[in-house]
Amino acid sequence: MVEDKLYDYNEARITTAIEASDHLDAVRVRLAGLLGPSAPSPFTLTFAGLERHMGEAPTSFVVNAMDLGDALRVLAGLPSWREWYLDHGGTPDGQDADVVYLPQQSHPGLPTLGAYNDMRGEQESTETGSTLIRRAHPPAVTAPAPAPAPASPAARTIH
């Protein structure tokens, strides 16, 4: 008798949860439509070039983008990135390059530790159509912000 009621209770609970989830998803979609597209935010992309063979740490770059895919496209279009890529094992045609993208160290936000190459200024200059001065040295290295993002979305915890 109790098992029958427990089964009915669990079925009602699951059905209610599914209906609530569907409703919340509809509300989220409606709010997203009212608010319009979100603004680009910082994304960290990490690569290891030839320096990894000498035991050096990989290099992180920060650009503003909508998601990681967009961040990769933005970074690939920046002249300083192209210089770094060619200097660290990349090939002009992109084939057989010795530069490795590290997705496990790439994430939304700024790096949590160490230094990184902040490409947002160059990105802004490129997007506004300004003439860039080619540099013989790598982009400026910036210290991380005081409130960094977690290393990956899966590492986030709710408190």
Side-chain angles (χ1 to χ4, degrees):
M1 177 85 177
V2 173
E3 286 85 22
D4 291 339
K5 296 218 184 257
L6 181 61
Y7 177 79
D8 291 341
Y9 170 76
N10 282 333
E11 285 295 314
R13 197 173 61 121
I14 291 169
T15 301
T16 303
I18 291 170
E19 290 171 357
S21 174
D22 291 344
H23 177 72
L24 286 175
D25 190 49
V27 169
R28 184 193 58 77
V29 168
R30 178 73 176 135
L31 285 173
L34 291 172
L35 294 173
S38 58
S41 58
F43 279 83
T44 298
L45 303 169
T46 304
F47 295 86
L50 294 173
E51 72 277 2
R52 74 181 183 281
H53 300 298
M54 295 175 275
E56 294 181 28
T59 304
S60 294
F61 300 89
V62 174
V63 295
N64 285 327
M66 301 302 283
D67 57 37
L68 278 172
D70 184 38
L72 285 165
R73 284 186 293 280
V74 167
L75 184 63
L78 298 176
S80 292
W81 155 253
R82 192 76 180 148
E83 289 177 23
W84 181 90
Y85 177 80
L86 293 172
D87 288 346
H88 289 84
T91 57
D93 61 0
Q95 302 297 321
D96 300 320
D98 197 14
V99 174
V100 179
Y101 171 60
L102 303 174
Q104 68 277 16
Q105 294 181 27
S106 301
H107 54 83
L110 300 173
T112 56
L113 298 172
Y116 58 92
N117 295 307
D118 193 345
M119 307 296 275
R120 293 174 291 177
E122 181 176 344
Q123 175 187 358
E124 190 175 290
S125 297
T126 302
E127 289 172 355
T128 60
S130 301
T131 304
L132 292 174
I133 300 171
R134 276 189 80 81
R135 296 181 257 176
H137 55 82
V141 176
T142 310
S152 74
R156 295 183 184 191
T157 58
I158 300 173
H159 298 279

